[in-house]
Amino acid sequence: MQSIFDTLLSFILMLLGFIVAAVAFVEVAARAVLSSIGIHGQFQTVLLLCLLCALIIVAFRIFGRLLAVLLTAAFVVYLLHSLLGIPHNVPVRGSAQEKAITL
């Protein structure tokens, strides 16, 4: 159960990292284009802020449902984990001979 929860959380964090990296790439590219055109200072900041808002909206439109499904699955696993009371320390066999499969 803990493994499933950890996998879901790592996938959510990976997806958020991907979104942040894409937004940062677009922002750096837009900043370079605006600088090459000759737009600097506060006007550039306002334009980049508008672009950031648009990118956040687009990211939630594209990945919103996937993120909602992943968060719902993570909450369900966490709820089941808390309701079933599965212990955190699952006993593990000590030696390699005990772990070997014998037929």
Side-chain angles (χ1 to χ4, degrees):
M1 187 75 67
Q2 187 67 32
S3 173
I4 295 170
F5 186 68
D6 290 342
T7 303
L8 284 171
L9 286 181
S10 66
F11 190 71
I12 290 169
L13 291 175
M14 181 188 67
L15 181 63
L16 290 175
F18 173 71
I19 292 170
V20 168
V23 168
F25 176 76
V26 170
E27 188 264 336
V28 168
R31 184 179 301 273
V33 168
L34 289 174
S35 293
S36 69
I37 293 174
I39 300 174
H40 300 286
Q42 292 179 349
F43 189 63
Q44 183 183 28
T45 304
V46 170
L47 287 176
L48 289 174
L49 185 63
C50 292
L51 177 65
L52 175 66
C53 292
L55 287 173
I56 290 172
I57 291 170
V58 168
F60 277 116
R61 297 281 249 164
I62 293 173
F63 297 109
R65 288 191 176 149
L66 177 62
L67 193 60
V69 167
L70 289 174
L71 285 173
T72 303
F75 286 137
V76 167
V77 169
Y78 184 73
L79 178 69
L80 287 175
H81 181 73
S82 64
L83 288 178
L84 295 177
I86 299 172
H88 294 283
N89 50 0
V90 177
V92 178
R93 296 181 184 167
S95 67
Q97 291 176 346
E98 292 177 6
K99 292 180 184 178
I101 299 174
T102 57
L103 298 174

